[in-house]
């Protein structure tokens, strides 16, 4: 089973110089190959394969001697990454590859010949680099990626194959439904609510001061470079706090449950709302779902996504009555069919997501979560299984 471990690196001045050259060469080779691929596509309606991009290296190294500075396989990985980026774009998994800029995050990958030692990592040409390794790394090291974030810190992501097979997923156990939100980042079908810490709001004043100082600095000056790093550290602090919170929350949910059900939300469409775009972007719904998914797979548990068009909010969990409209500002509502008062919108939604997941798991036996029916707007009733089969 493949797992990645991220550690902090502390290179010396000579190693930082070599890394800066390697970052620059990899960035230049990426931009050069991307521009050439686009040009070739415009002329011949065909792109360049990974082998064709890698075949450019020998001649390029003769024309530009500085391309021989980094480890040779780091540049070959650039061709692999660019090829995968185009594949992901054409298969709908990612955006069109973009040109890389010097001011953004920089990275290079070492596909082999890397050794992890006690407190150090040995790289080709870099030799021993001091590293803060918090836990022992067991298994075969596959790839190590060195990255430099805008704040100036260096990190290494170590991809390790521990030799253990991924456990087979089993649905025997406790099932939980999760409804994500802005004020409460997560509401469970058991009634637990996890408040959104709003890390960005806590650091907003500090970030404003740092950005004001940055705006006053002269373009291209050393003081502007220092001010940019100070602002980047605030963004990094917000990101680290969010990651720490989401890791702890996802680990707790996965450890306590066997089946985790969430709703497949159209986040890209939701952030087009200018009133909610900033709040939705900072809460980290997609990141939470990603963590739940891979942690459930590692633990042999089931992660399910319910269709976004399932009326989880408008459907009463007990009597299955579906109301016509439920605006976002209505957090509690009354059921006109069974008469239940003060229904919590979020908890009711989480329960519906859980029950829909149970129904889908038992669909082979034509069972439903409630063993009942769902009331349609037309007045006639149809079993939930029949609705899915009709789709």
């Amino acid at each position: 089973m493949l797992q990645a471990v991220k550690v902090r690196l502390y290179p010396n001045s000579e190693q930082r110089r070599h890394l800066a050259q390697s970052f620059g060469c990899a960035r230049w080779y990426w931009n050069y190959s991307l521009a050439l691929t686009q040009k070739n596509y415009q002329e011949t309606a065909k792109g360049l394969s990974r082998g064709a991009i890698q075949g450019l290296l020998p001649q390029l190294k003769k024309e530009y001697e500085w391309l021989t500075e980094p480890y040779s396989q780091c540049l070959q990985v650039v061709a692999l990454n660019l090829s995968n980026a185009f594949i992901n774009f054409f298969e709908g998994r990612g955006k069109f590859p973009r040109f890389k800029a010097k001011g953004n995050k920089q990275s290079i990958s070492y596909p082999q010949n890397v050794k992890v030692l006690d407190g150090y990592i040995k790289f080709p040409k870099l030799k021993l680099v001091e590293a803060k390794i918090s836990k022992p790394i067991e298994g075969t090291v596959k790839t190590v990626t060195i990255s430099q974030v805008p704040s100036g810190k260096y990190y290494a992501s170590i991809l390790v194959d521990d030799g253990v097979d991924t456990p087979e997923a089993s649905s025997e156990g406790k099932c939980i439904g999760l409804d994500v939100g802005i004020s409460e980042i997560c509401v469970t079908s058991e009634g637990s609510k996890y408040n959104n810490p709003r890390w960005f709001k806590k650091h907003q004043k500090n970030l404003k001061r740092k950005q004001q100082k940055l705006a006053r600095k002269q373009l291209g000056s050393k003081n502007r470079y220092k001010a940019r790093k100070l602002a980047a550290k605030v963004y990094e602090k917000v990101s680290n706090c969010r990651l720490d919170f989401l890791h702890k929350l996802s680990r707790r949910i996965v450890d306590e449950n066997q089946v985790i059900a969430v709703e497949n939300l159209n986040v890209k469409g939701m952030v087009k709302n200018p009133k909610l775009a900033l709040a939705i972007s900072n809460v980290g719904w997609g990141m939470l779902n990603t963590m739940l998914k891979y942690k459930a797979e590692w633990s042999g548990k089931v992660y399910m996504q319910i269709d976004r068009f399932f009326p989880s909010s408008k459907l009463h969990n007990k009597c299955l009555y579906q109301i016509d409209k439920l605006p976002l500002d209505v957090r509690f509502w009354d059921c006109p069919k069974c008469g239940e008062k003060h229904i919590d919108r979020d908890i009711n939604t989480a329960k519906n997501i859980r029950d829909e997941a149970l129904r889908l798991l038992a669909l082979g036996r034509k069972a439903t979560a409630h063993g009942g029916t769902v009331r349609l707007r037309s007045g006639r009733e149809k079993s939930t299984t029949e609705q899915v089969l009709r789709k």
Side-chain angles (χ1 to χ4, degrees):
M1 186 167 56
L2 296 176
Q3 293 190 4
V5 180
K6 188 175 182 180
V7 300
R8 176 82 181 273
L9 295 181
Y10 298 91
N12 56 35
S13 58
E14 181 63 24
Q15 291 170 342
R16 289 197 298 268
R17 184 195 65 80
H18 179 81
L19 285 174
Q21 290 181 334
S22 300
F23 291 148
C25 292
R27 184 177 63 251
W28 182 90
Y29 183 47
W30 171 282
N31 294 339
Y32 178 85
S33 302
L34 178 56
L36 188 63
T37 303
Q38 292 178 350
K39 181 181 178 181
N40 189 74
Y41 183 82
Q42 292 173 357
E43 295 176 352
T44 65
K46 293 183 179 179
L48 295 178
S49 64
R50 170 190 170 188
I53 297 175
Q54 290 180 337
L56 301 172
L57 273 175
Q59 183 62 30
L60 288 175
K61 288 183 178 180
K62 294 179 181 179
E63 296 180 12
Y64 308 99
E65 295 183 358
W66 40 267
L67 282 177
T68 60
E69 288 291 332
Y71 184 50
S72 60
Q73 294 191 10
C74 293
L75 297 180
Q76 294 178 5
V77 174
V78 173
L80 173 62
N81 293 338
L82 181 59
S83 177
N84 291 336
F86 274 108
I87 293 175
N88 292 334
F89 168 71
F90 287 115
E91 294 183 358
R93 292 192 299 268
K95 296 182 179 180
F96 189 83
R98 296 182 296 179
F99 293 97
K100 295 187 176 182
K102 184 178 180 180
N104 298 333
K105 179 180 178 180
Q106 307 295 314
S107 65
I108 53 173
S109 296
Y110 292 80
Q112 58 183 8
N113 298 329
V114 178
K115 294 183 180 180
V116 180
L117 307 175
D118 186 14
Y120 294 90
I121 301 179
K122 186 177 181 181
F123 296 94
K125 290 195 172 183
L126 275 177
K127 299 182 179 180
L128 293 178
V129 180
E130 184 180 354
K132 186 176 182 180
I133 304 175
S134 57
K135 63 179 181 180
I137 299 176
E138 300 177 354
T140 304
V141 177
K142 308 298 286 187
T143 305
V144 179
T145 300
I146 299 180
S147 59
Q148 184 186 20
V149 295
S151 63
K153 298 178 182 178
Y154 294 86
Y155 295 93
S157 296
I158 308 171
L159 183 63
V160 181
D161 186 0
D162 56 10
V164 180
D165 295 334
T166 304
E168 185 177 355
S170 173
S171 59
E172 297 296 329
K174 182 180 176 183
C175 178
I176 192 171
L178 304 178
D179 177 46
V180 295
I182 296 178
S183 58
E184 286 89 17
I185 187 173
C186 180
V187 178
T188 69
S189 54
E190 297 178 338
S192 300
K193 296 185 177 182
Y194 299 94
N195 293 327
N196 180 12
R198 300 181 186 272
W199 299 111
F200 182 79
K201 186 176 181 179
K202 292 181 179 179
H203 295 82
Q204 197 167 9
K205 290 185 178 179
N206 185 22
L207 180 61
K208 180 181 178 181
R209 290 194 296 266
K210 297 295 191 298
Q211 288 177 330
Q212 287 176 339
K213 292 181 180 179
L214 174 62
R216 298 189 187 103
K217 306 302 179 183
Q218 185 178 358
L219 290 174
S221 63
K222 291 185 178 180
N223 286 335
R224 183 177 178 85
Y225 173 75
K226 295 177 182 179
R228 185 183 62 82
K229 289 183 65 175
L230 291 176
K233 287 182 179 180
V234 181
Y235 280 109
E236 186 180 8
K237 176 68 174 179
V238 174
S239 178
N240 291 339
C241 292
R242 184 189 299 112
L243 279 175
D244 180 71
F245 174 77
L246 293 179
H247 271 299
K248 292 177 180 178
L249 176 60
S250 58
R251 173 50 59 191
R252 178 177 179 177
I253 293 174
V254 171
D255 288 344
E256 295 178 354
N257 303 278
Q258 187 65 27
V259 179
I260 299 100
V262 299
E263 195 171 10
N264 181 20
L265 297 175
N266 182 17
V267 180
K268 291 183 179 180
M270 298 173 70
V271 295
K272 293 181 180 179
N273 185 343
K275 296 182 179 179
L276 299 176
L278 180 62
I280 293 176
S281 300
N282 289 323
V283 73
W285 292 340
M287 195 178 301
L288 175 61
N289 289 342
T290 300
M291 293 179 180
L292 289 172
K293 183 178 181 180
Y294 74 74
K295 289 179 182 179
E297 291 177 354
W298 289 353
S299 305
K301 301 185 178 183
V302 178
Y303 171 85
M304 295 186 63
Q305 285 191 337
I306 306 304
D307 190 86
R308 66 187 63 166
F309 298 108
F310 176 71
S312 57
S313 299
K314 301 178 181 179
L315 190 67
H316 188 200
N317 179 257
K318 294 182 179 179
C319 67
L320 303 181
Y321 175 81
Q322 182 178 343
I323 62 176
D324 294 333
K325 295 181 180 179
L326 190 62
L328 287 176
D329 59 341
V330 178
R331 310 313 302 175
F332 298 91
W333 57 284
D334 302 334
C335 179
K337 182 178 180 181
C338 65
E340 183 176 354
K341 304 291 185 180
H342 210 62
I343 301 172
D344 191 301
R345 173 196 182 118
D346 298 327
I347 297 178
N348 179 74
T349 301
K351 290 181 179 179
N352 285 331
I353 294 174
R354 176 202 61 191
D355 294 345
E356 178 70 2
L358 291 174
R359 183 184 65 79
L360 293 176
L361 289 173
L363 188 59
R365 299 187 294 272
K366 292 186 179 181
T368 63
H370 292 278
T373 57
V374 175
R375 181 180 182 274
L376 302 180
R377 296 178 186 273
S378 60
R380 55 186 295 267
E381 295 183 347
K382 188 178 296 183
S383 67
T384 49
T385 303
E386 183 182 352
Q387 292 183 35
V388 174
L389 294 178
R390 283 177 60 88
K391 293 181 181 179

